[in-house]
Amino acid sequence: MWTDTHCHLDAAEFDADRDAVVARARAAGVSQVVIPAVAAGNFERVRALAHQHGFSYALGIHPLCVRQARDEDLGRLDRMLAECRDDPRLVGIGEIGLDFFVKDLDEATQQHFYVEQLKLAKRHALPVILHVRRSADKLLAGLRRVGLTTGGIGHAFNGSRQQADAFLELGFKLGFGGTVTFERSLQIRRLATELPAEALVLETDAPDIPPHWLYRTAEERAQGASARNEPGELARIGACLAELRGWSAQETAAITARNARAALPRLGALDAPAPHG
């Protein structure tokens, strides 16, 4: 059974058919999905969806959302982490991190929210789910500065082998998703092939980062074509990883699910989850 370590199931793109999306994921063998928050305004939503569908969730403020965030949101996060301390479906703090691809984001503001959320992760002894986009070195610097020892996942990892090894040394796993299905993604496919087996977890980042069979050009999207990704695609993404590694699909599902439980230990108690209605 497959584990999707990163899916924004609360996104508006799923409002029309969310139950059908979940049903397709289960039919494809996806037994567990981690739903990360991106802002204080969706903390309750991701928690509710995780309980409704038997999945899991993380709470955090995404670097692309810090422009609208306030320090009181950090206080709200701290309080909710304390309130949900005994909730087995709360598996980490995320999605947090740094993004230096989007040009109009203030680095100081991003760093403030990133470091403060790392401190909360340390206080609450939870792993983190990191947004890594042209920011690996500064993310690593923050982890070392705060002294976080709970590890987590480097989501949609796209750095160098040296950076990958640095994350692994700090107890992290690295997330691979739709990008690994593109033959032109040479660096990511090389990492997926050469990194230690215990380094790899799978994710969709649905509704984003579509695999190659869902990719649409900007012109096609402008004409109304959908490139929406969904968690049910994880098995086919996993098959691409299996081909790169020379593994069977069963081996790939088992290895990456085991790695996900190592990165987010509370997932271990949620194997074969039952929906809560």
Side-chain angles (χ1 to χ4, degrees):
M1 302 295 277
W2 301 94
T3 296
D4 186 348
T5 60
H6 203 106
C7 170
H8 296 284
L9 191 61
D10 61 307
E13 287 90 336
F14 296 125
D15 285 350
D17 63 343
R18 188 171 285 105
D19 288 346
V21 167
V22 171
R24 285 193 290 272
R26 293 200 183 282
V30 179
S31 62
Q32 185 53 245
V33 174
V34 181
I35 312 169
V38 297
N42 76 331
F43 288 173
E44 294 287 355
R45 178 64 169 156
V46 299
R47 178 169 68 172
L49 284 171
H51 280 271
Q52 177 184 352
H53 295 291
F55 293 151
S56 55
Y57 67 100
L59 299 175
I61 301 168
H62 192 290
L64 298 185
C65 296
V66 299
R67 281 176 294 199
Q68 295 79 36
R70 300 291 181 267
D71 277 346
E72 47 263 40
D73 293 337
L74 294 168
R76 182 176 176 184
L77 175 58
D78 190 17
R79 291 190 299 273
M80 194 160 176
L81 291 170
E83 291 167 8
C84 299
R85 180 184 297 113
D86 297 324
D87 183 353
R89 298 193 182 280
L90 173 64
V91 297
I93 294 181
E95 177 180 358
I96 70 172
L98 301 169
D99 191 308
F100 299 136
F101 177 77
V102 178
K103 298 301 183 184
D104 61 343
L105 290 178
D106 179 68
E107 181 176 344
T109 302
Q110 288 194 67
Q111 287 278 10
H112 170 68
F113 279 92
Y114 172 54
V115 170
E116 291 304 312
Q117 289 181 99
L118 291 182
K119 291 176 182 177
L120 291 178
K122 188 173 183 178
R123 180 183 308 165
H124 293 277
L126 286 169
V128 294
I129 298 173
L130 294 181
H131 178 92
V132 187
R133 193 151 68 155
R134 297 187 183 175
S135 57
D137 288 339
K138 291 190 177 181
L139 289 171
L140 288 162
L143 292 168
R144 294 181 180 117
R145 191 168 91 202
V146 172
L148 189 71
T149 59
T150 46
I153 294 172
H155 152 60
F157 186 77
N158 58 3
S160 68
R161 176 61 190 264
Q162 182 180 12
Q163 291 166 334
D165 288 339
F167 277 107
L168 299 183
E169 289 171 6
L170 292 176
F172 279 76
K173 309 300 183 186
L174 302 177
F176 291 85
T179 308
V180 81
T181 70
F182 289 85
E183 290 186 359
R184 66 179 182 273
S185 298
L186 299 179
Q187 169 70 359
I188 289 173
R189 287 166 69 90
R190 186 179 305 113
L191 286 171
T193 303
E194 296 176 356
L195 285 172
E198 61 270 20
L200 311 175
V201 297
L202 283 169
E203 60 182 31
T204 59
D205 197 28
D208 299 320
I209 312 187
H212 78 79
W213 53 87
L214 294 179
Y215 177 76
R216 302 292 181 267
T217 65
E219 182 179 355
E220 289 171 330
R221 294 194 301 271
Q223 293 174 354
S226 173
R228 186 185 76 168
N229 195 10
E230 58 181 71
E233 302 295 338
L234 192 71
R236 287 186 69 185
I237 293 170
C240 291
L241 178 61
E243 183 177 357
L244 289 171
R245 300 288 308 207
W247 295 340
S248 70
Q250 286 184 326
E251 286 175 318
T252 305
I255 290 168
T256 55
R258 182 170 63 245
N259 293 343
R261 293 192 296 271
L264 307 173
R266 290 188 178 188
L267 285 178
L270 300 178
D271 285 343
H276 286 182

